[in-house]
Amino acid sequence: MSQVKIYANEQTIMQYRELLSHAIHQALIEELKYPVEKRFQRFMSLKPENFIYPSDRSQHYIIIELSMFAGRSTEAKKRLIQTLFRNIEQYCKITPQDIEITIFETPKENWGIRGQNADEMRLNYQVNV
């Protein structure tokens, strides 16, 4: 399971929402072997005065935060990050200079999903990739 938050200027979100959504989801499918139907994304559209970032970033600067079950290998997470950079640049023409990614991992027992504790659920995908 992974919950994805994407923060960006409102104009960037309006222009690239569908392409970003696709680029991010494809990376999760490719690198973490996610089922196609497991898409959990929230776009945080920020007014320019509420999104302050360094001058060496463009107006398309984005921050991606992924909250996921603990258990992926270091190599899988590194591949995911590199695939996110590649996909977003390919689909949206947003350069890696304008992308920051953070992965937050928590044990499954810290998640509640559909009325159950996640560590008691049977998943249709592997976490330990």
Side-chain angles (χ1 to χ4, degrees):
M1 170 112 191
S2 187
Q3 293 282 343
V4 183
K5 296 178 193 171
I6 304 99
Y7 299 88
N9 276 322
E10 57 190 356
Q11 291 298 326
T12 299
I13 298 284
M14 286 177 17
Q15 182 176 355
Y16 294 110
R17 181 185 342 240
E18 293 304 316
L19 292 171
L20 280 168
S21 177
H22 182 69
I24 292 165
H25 194 59
Q26 287 305 116
L28 288 166
I29 291 168
E30 182 177 336
E31 300 303 343
L32 299 186
K33 312 305 181 215
Y34 266 45
V36 173
E37 71 277 5
K38 298 288 183 191
R39 185 182 304 220
F40 300 98
Q41 301 173 345
R42 292 178 301 260
F43 285 86
M44 310 301 182
S45 178
L46 301 166
K47 294 187 180 300
E49 64 268 18
N50 292 328
F51 195 40
I52 301 166
Y53 48 86
S55 61
D56 64 343
R57 306 307 196 281
S58 82
Q59 75 275 12
H60 297 306
Y61 173 66
I62 61 173
I63 299 171
I64 300 169
E65 295 179 350
L66 297 107
S67 297
M68 61 177 66
F69 296 152
R72 276 75 181 199
S73 70
T74 297
E75 286 307 311
K77 291 180 281 188
K78 286 183 173 189
R79 284 191 314 268
L80 173 62
I81 288 170
Q82 290 304 309
T83 301
L84 285 165
F85 285 138
R86 185 188 72 229
N87 284 4
I88 293 168
E89 186 169 31
Q90 179 183 347
Y91 294 126
C92 305
K93 308 300 185 233
I94 296 174
T95 67
Q97 173 69 18
D98 281 330
I99 305 166
E100 292 191 17
I101 303 162
T102 307
I103 297 173
F104 299 95
E105 292 183 290
T106 55
K108 286 194 279 186
E109 65 266 16
N110 290 359
W111 291 67
I113 302 168
R114 297 187 310 269
Q116 297 181 39
N117 288 67
D119 64 336
E120 299 171 1
M121 295 180 74
R122 185 168 179 185
L123 302 173
N124 63 346
Y125 60 93
Q126 279 293 337
V127 172
N128 298 322
V129 294

